[in-house]
Amino acid sequence: MRPKGTAAELEQRRRIAIALLKQGLKPVQVAKALGTSGVSVTRWRQAYEEGGEKALAAKPHPGRTRKLSEEQRRQLGQLLQEGARKHGYSTELWTLPRVAEMILIHFGVRYHPGHVWRVLRGMGWSCQKPERRARERDEEAIR
């Protein structure tokens, strides 16, 4: 299982481990200081001895690459913040099929509506349920 942290953070942790080993600390002490296992520290030391600095370099994240780049996700967020009505919908409610349609129209990327929530969660968005209020509601009278 991949440890938590970005590739750059994990690389930095490996480099710190090697620096501590060079200062004379034992793998168990380094592991305790970095919050990892002694086996990992030993593996990093061995990789460093065999491949040098290059062996400590960040590895690419496993798995499929994202369909939308970070820039496209930022643009999508801006489009969604403009509101659904601005984009031709009858209500301000963003539904997953509507967001999937927006992604297809603006970026040419097809998502199944049932998977759009993963994109939105990755952008820090959450599901919001609109408040139900009667159309006849008189805000002035309520105040």
Side-chain angles (χ1 to χ4, degrees):
M1 186 168 149
R2 184 178 168 90
K4 293 193 187 282
T6 66
E9 291 169 346
L10 296 176
E11 176 181 341
Q12 184 63 26
R13 185 169 71 165
R14 291 188 292 272
R15 292 187 187 285
I16 290 170
I18 296 303
L20 292 174
L21 288 170
K22 285 181 177 178
Q23 291 176 7
L25 271 70
K26 296 185 187 219
V28 175
Q29 295 170 313
V30 173
K32 189 171 184 179
L34 296 177
T36 188
S37 70
V39 174
S40 291
V41 174
T42 303
R43 195 169 13 97
W44 298 338
R45 180 178 61 192
Q46 186 178 6
Y48 176 75
E49 289 170 355
E50 292 173 7
E53 291 288 325
K54 192 186 293 184
L56 302 176
K59 314 290 188 286
H61 285 278
R64 185 177 180 174
T65 57
R66 292 178 166 183
K67 291 182 179 182
L68 292 178
S69 68
E70 287 301 318
E71 175 62 22
Q72 289 172 323
R73 287 173 181 253
R74 189 186 59 73
Q75 290 173 0
L76 175 62
Q78 291 174 344
L79 291 170
L80 296 177
Q81 286 178 345
E82 291 173 358
R85 283 206 170 123
K86 183 167 188 232
H87 295 283
Y89 297 104
S90 60
T91 66
E92 281 295 332
L93 184 65
W94 280 117
T95 62
L96 294 179
R98 285 181 180 183
V99 176
E101 186 177 338
M102 289 291 295
I103 292 171
L104 181 60
I105 290 169
H106 290 276
F107 307 110
V109 176
R110 188 176 304 276
Y111 273 98
H112 185 278
H115 294 278
V116 171
W117 69 269
R118 294 175 195 226
V119 175
L120 295 175
R121 291 286 271 199
M123 294 168 48
W125 290 58
S126 63
C127 180
Q128 302 289 317
K129 187 175 180 182
E131 286 186 23
R132 295 192 158 238
R133 292 187 176 173
R135 287 191 180 135
E136 299 83 17
R137 183 179 166 117
D138 185 0
E139 294 294 334
E140 288 296 319
I142 293 171
R143 280 190 208 120

